[in-house]
Amino acid sequence: MAETFEPTSIIVTGGCGFIGSNFVRWVVENHPGVRVTVLDKLTYAGNPENIAGLPEDRVRLVVGDICDEALLEGLVPGHDAVVHFAAESHNDNSIADPEPFVRTNVVGTYRLLEACRAHDVRYHHVSTDEVYGDLALDDPARFTEETPYRPSSPYSSTKASSDMLVRAWHRTYGVRATISNCSNNYGPYQHVEKFIPRQITNILCGIRPKLYGDGKNVRDWIHTEDHSSAVWAILTRGRVGETYLIGADGERDNITVLRDVLRAMGRPEDDFDWVRDRPGHDRRYAIDPTKLRTELGWEPRHTDFESGLMATIEWYREHEAWWRPAKEATEARYAAQGQ
Ligand code: NAD
Ligand code: TDX
């Protein structure tokens, strides 16, 4: 096992988004000696409410763009590590308008790598299982760290590009970098554009849930808190230069998840609309997390998807003021796309 790295001061990019903010809260709760600087541009997906109430002496928000070279030059020195979550993250948006994805996901990662190189700062790169493309429903295989890259969408191709930059900056310049590729996250603070929150909030608004294609596409679900503990394990105990896949054996097809949501919310199982499929829609994702489990001893805590889903539904019921402002515009965008 690698030597343990004990950061006391970290930058979390995208710390006002879904997974980044859950990570910030998890670090504050579990690692009292760590101070966090959140660097976030506050795009439509970033909300300072997501980290509201955290102690001011532990968490500082800097509103800014990861593509801003001068900002990074001033901010990065003095920190022990950058944990990079910031991204344009939604596949459907990337199909409608890919340009912000190229800019933030590729150029932004390049800027962060250059800043970490200049100041010899440890870098952890948060990526996705979508870089591996998709699997057939009946394929016994799951993705491993050795699976060739085969991204399908503008989103996943920009994430794949950013992973390649990280590998090159480690090998050529010796940047102390690790990469994690995680499966689909669910939990509190996820934007209402994403599958699970969209369906929950549709039902709460009296709108029928919307299912793409034939509903048989499979996603491998992990609770965002388990993603946080895995990123921390890799940052502090992972081997520099390595990639680790993060997953919690949560494969389910979309129609099963939707029926779980409908049932849990007291609706009939067929009370939803079939809508136009996503162009290039990946069929199935599946993660083999053996390396993370055996090498770093990581284990997920949320192993019961149904109870995690119930808690997530409850969270959206109780936090209407958080999601309501984004709901109408999100549904209008989907309606314009026939979805
Ligand atoms: P999100 O869209 O909820 O949040 C993204 C955050 O990044 C927002 O706060 C936004 O304001 C910020 N941001 C965007 N562009 C920026 C820029 N140029 N400069 C600074 N900040 C910027 O995303 P998420 O779902 O929380 O995903 C976080 C990361 O995890 C992404 O890198 C994504 O690729 C990866 N990931 C997500 C999932 C998933 O299921 N959502 C799974 C695997 C990996
Ligand atoms: O309304 C919908 N109906 C529907 O059937 C939406 C929004 C989605 N879907 C389907 C498409 C996918 O098969 O549900 C599945 C999940 O969709 P998303 O929530 O958009 O996630 P996905 O495209 O799988 O990508 C997610 O996981 C990997 C994240 O958004 C990415 O950031 C992450 O990298």
Side-chain angles (χ1 to χ4, degrees), residues 67-321:
C67 299
D68 184 340
E69 188 181 359
L71 171 71
L72 295 183
E73 186 52 37
L75 195 65
V76 170
H79 289 90
D80 300 324
V82 170
V83 186
H84 178 34
F85 290 91
E88 286 292 337
S89 69
H90 192 39
N91 274 299
D92 293 319
N93 294 346
S94 83
I95 295 166
D97 180 14
E99 186 160 341
F101 290 73
V102 174
R103 187 176 176 281
T104 287
N105 299 0
V106 184
V107 178
T109 297
Y110 160 70
R111 288 288 175 217
L112 288 167
L113 285 167
E114 282 292 79
C116 289
R117 169 160 89 101
H119 302 286
D120 189 24
V121 169
R122 173 84 167 80
Y123 175 88
H124 179 74
H125 187 69
V126 177
S127 191
T128 170
D129 59 359
E130 299 192 17
V131 300
Y132 301 113
D134 60 355
L135 299 160
L137 295 182
D138 60 357
D139 191 334
R142 299 195 288 177
F143 300 138
T144 73
E145 287 77 7
E146 275 69 50
T147 304
Y149 274 42
R150 200 171 58 87
S152 319
S153 73
Y155 162 68
S156 56
S157 64
T158 59
K159 292 298 289 187
S161 308
S162 68
D163 294 10
M164 294 300 161
L165 295 180
V166 180
R167 290 178 183 204
W169 261 243
H170 166 67
R171 175 155 169 174
T172 305
Y173 301 118
V175 170
R176 292 178 290 132
T178 41
I179 300 175
S180 54
N181 297 84
C182 188
S183 60
N184 281 60
N185 284 223
Y186 74 97
Y189 298 99
Q190 186 167 30
H191 196 277
V192 292
E193 69 191 355
K194 302 295 193 321
F195 180 57
I196 290 177
R198 184 183 185 203
Q199 314 313 341
I200 296 170
T201 55
N202 270 10
I203 294 169
L204 292 174
C205 292
I207 306 169
R208 276 157 72 96
K210 312 290 178 202
L211 193 60
Y212 295 175
D214 63 5
K216 295 203 176 105
N217 303 65
V218 169
R219 296 296 181 263
D220 190 352
W221 294 99
I222 182 173
H223 195 281
T224 187
E225 193 177 295
D226 288 329
H227 190 181
S228 293
S229 66
V231 166
W232 187 261
I234 297 163
L235 175 70
T236 56
R237 292 183 285 115
R239 283 179 293 142
V240 162
E242 292 291 312
T243 289
Y244 296 84
L245 264 53
I246 305 174
D249 305 312
E251 279 190 70
R252 265 173 185 70
D253 61 19
N254 292 339
I255 192 163
T256 301
V257 174
L258 178 53
R259 289 196 165 128
D260 284 349
V261 171
L262 285 162
R263 218 177 307 110
M265 298 184 73
R267 307 294 312 158
E269 283 194 355
D270 59 354
D271 191 16
F272 65 87
D273 295 329
W274 298 98
V275 294
R276 188 174 76 86
D277 203 1
R278 173 184 286 172
H281 195 177
D282 281 336
R283 199 59 169 155
R284 169 176 163 246
Y285 304 138
I287 290 271
D288 176 351
T290 302
K291 179 175 173 181
L292 178 65
R293 284 179 179 250
T294 54
E295 193 178 307
L296 303 183
W298 172 84
E299 294 289 339
R301 289 186 51 211
H302 297 266
T303 48
D304 179 356
F305 177 76
E306 279 69 26
S307 75
L309 187 62
M310 291 296 280
T312 304
I313 292 170
E314 226 21 65
W315 189 88
Y316 281 88
R317 271 195 214 285
E318 287 166 5
H319 291 80
E320 182 172 344

